[in-house]
Amino acid sequence: MDPARRQRIKDSFNALEPHGEALMNRLFERLFSDHPEVRPLFPDDLGRLKLDLRASLASIVKSIDNFAALEQPLKKMGARHLAYGARPEHYPLLGATLLAAMDELAGGLWTDQLREDWAAAVGAISQIMLDGAAEAERFRAAG
Ligand code: HEM
């Protein structure tokens, strides 16, 4: 990701962060109405998860200029997601829903450029998590 893109991601995240709770609420509302098949993967009470996801996004954005440092933690997180039942085909659903929820919450501030920036970031994060999940699966199969 080039520096201008990273800066736009940081700025837009900081602008949205005061609305973080509303963003998480909207994300899961939309995820479950658009993709009801993933609802059973999640616990009934989403309180903890919403806080964790928000904190995780904040720390990713904070480290976005040092993406290499995120690789190991993201791979480990991807490996944990195997146990949650998250499959590769679920990642684009969550990514697209996150972008749609951001678009709604950011109102007039959201642009095609930001949509592209965030799609690239979420795509990169998802890919690293999936690499971590695939590695963990190979390790388990070999052991
Ligand atoms: C950009 C991709 C994603 C990020 C950043 C993310 C982040 C997180 C975080 C921070 C947690 C808290 C627990 C932990 O760290 O292990 C978590 C839990 C979880 N995630 Fe994800 N996640 C992503 C993708 C997905 C996808 C695609 C699914 C499936 C549709 C999913 C389903 C879950 C479930 C079921 C839990 C456990 C909830 C619980 O039992 O409390 N995640 N996720």
Side-chain angles (χ1 to χ4, degrees), residues 41-43 49 52-53 56 77 80-81 84 86 90 94 129:
L41 301 180
F42 292 87
L49 175 61
D52 285 349
L53 181 58
S56 152
M77 193 160 80
R80 288 198 296 278
H81 275 69
Y84 306 149
H90 296 145
L94 189 102
M129 287 175 67

Side-chain angles (χ1 to χ4, degrees), residues 4-134:
R5 168 159 288 174
R6 295 199 302 261
Q7 192 59 48
R8 286 191 299 267
I9 287 178
K10 282 189 276 192
D11 291 344
S12 57
F13 188 81
N14 289 339
L16 271 173
E17 179 48 29
H19 311 286
E21 193 180 342
L23 179 66
M24 290 298 117
N25 291 341
R26 199 61 195 119
L27 165 64
F28 284 101
E29 259 170 37
R30 283 192 73 138
L31 184 68
F32 298 153
S33 65
D34 293 350
H35 309 288
E37 71 277 13
V38 302
R39 181 66 186 94
L41 301 180
F42 292 87
D44 289 342
D45 182 351
L46 299 169
R48 178 81 250 160
L49 175 61
K50 286 175 179 172
L51 291 174
D52 285 349
L53 181 58
R54 197 174 155 188
S56 152
L57 290 173
S59 85
I60 292 168
V61 169
K62 208 170 162 194
S63 297
I64 202 153
D65 291 318
N66 186 12
F67 214 70
L70 290 169
E71 187 168 325
Q72 285 315 315
L74 285 177
K75 280 187 165 179
K76 284 191 186 149
M77 193 160 80
R80 288 198 296 278
H81 275 69
L82 284 172
Y84 306 149
R87 306 300 312 153
E89 61 271 24
H90 296 145
Y91 281 75
L93 307 183
L94 189 102
T97 310
L98 176 64
L99 261 64
M102 289 175 118
D103 185 343
E104 264 186 51
L105 270 278
L109 296 176
W110 197 249
T111 58
D112 286 348
Q113 178 68 72
L114 282 176
R115 184 190 311 276
E116 247 182 63
D117 294 332
W118 276 95
V122 173
I125 293 162
S126 299
Q127 190 53 59
I128 299 170
M129 287 175 67
L130 284 169
D131 288 347

